[in-house]
Amino acid sequence: MTEQPTGGQERSDGGIDGDRAPDPWKSFRGVMAGTLILEAIVVLLALPVAAVSHGGLTPLTGGYLIGLAVVLVLLAGIQGRPWAIWVNLAMQLVVIAGWAVHGAIGFIGVIFAGVWLLIGYLRAEVKRREERGLLPGQQRLDE
């Protein structure tokens, strides 16, 4: 029997629980949640812009911006779901629709739509590499 480090349990495949490969999806979920929080902050920073332009900050524009920010923050908490990325992409259409409130808000939506499309591409790339066993944690070191 091999010696085990303290606190580790032997697994059926001969490995030890303490030396598991890093989970790429855990960090990916963190990136998505962080992006949503950043987007919520940017949306809230649009409040002063909307207040000084056009008709000022009306209950409709204020409610839209604050409600949108709240939804983005709430979505940050469900990034572990497999459908979360698609909801995040759909939310960009809601942000782009903010062009009706102010052009700058629609522009924020276009910028973040590009960010979310990049995240979607990176997700597909990680998934492809995971299926082929090409991720660093999946490669065996020859001893």
Side-chain angles (χ1 to χ4, degrees):
M1 183 166 196
T2 61
E3 234 178 76
Q4 297 178 14
T6 310
Q9 297 291 328
E10 190 170 347
R11 296 188 317 239
S12 61
D13 65 355
I16 298 175
D17 280 341
D19 58 334
R20 289 186 181 178
D23 180 12
W25 299 113
K26 184 176 182 181
S27 57
F28 197 78
R29 289 187 299 267
V31 167
M32 293 194 308
T35 303
L36 285 169
I37 296 296
L38 179 63
E39 187 172 3
I41 291 169
V42 172
V43 166
L44 289 174
L45 287 172
L47 279 168
V49 174
V52 297
S53 60
H54 298 306
L57 191 62
T58 66
L60 180 67
T61 59
Y64 171 79
L65 291 172
I66 292 171
L68 182 60
V70 167
V71 169
L72 292 170
V73 169
L74 291 174
L75 283 175
I78 63 162
Q79 294 308 297
R81 306 282 199 269
W83 42 264
I85 187 127
W86 307 114
V87 174
N88 299 339
L89 284 166
M91 279 304 296
Q92 300 319 299
L93 298 175
V94 176
V95 182
I96 291 171
W99 218 293
V101 173
H102 192 279
I105 298 164
F107 183 71
I108 290 169
V110 170
I111 295 297
F112 274 99
V115 170
W116 282 106
L117 288 172
L118 176 62
I119 289 173
Y121 167 76
L122 293 174
R123 176 184 178 265
E125 187 65 20
V126 168
K127 195 175 216 177
R128 182 186 68 81
R129 290 181 185 194
E130 182 181 47
E131 289 168 354
R132 293 184 179 171
L134 299 175
L135 292 177
Q138 293 177 313
Q139 298 172 355
R140 290 195 163 275
L141 298 175
D142 292 331
E143 295 180 31

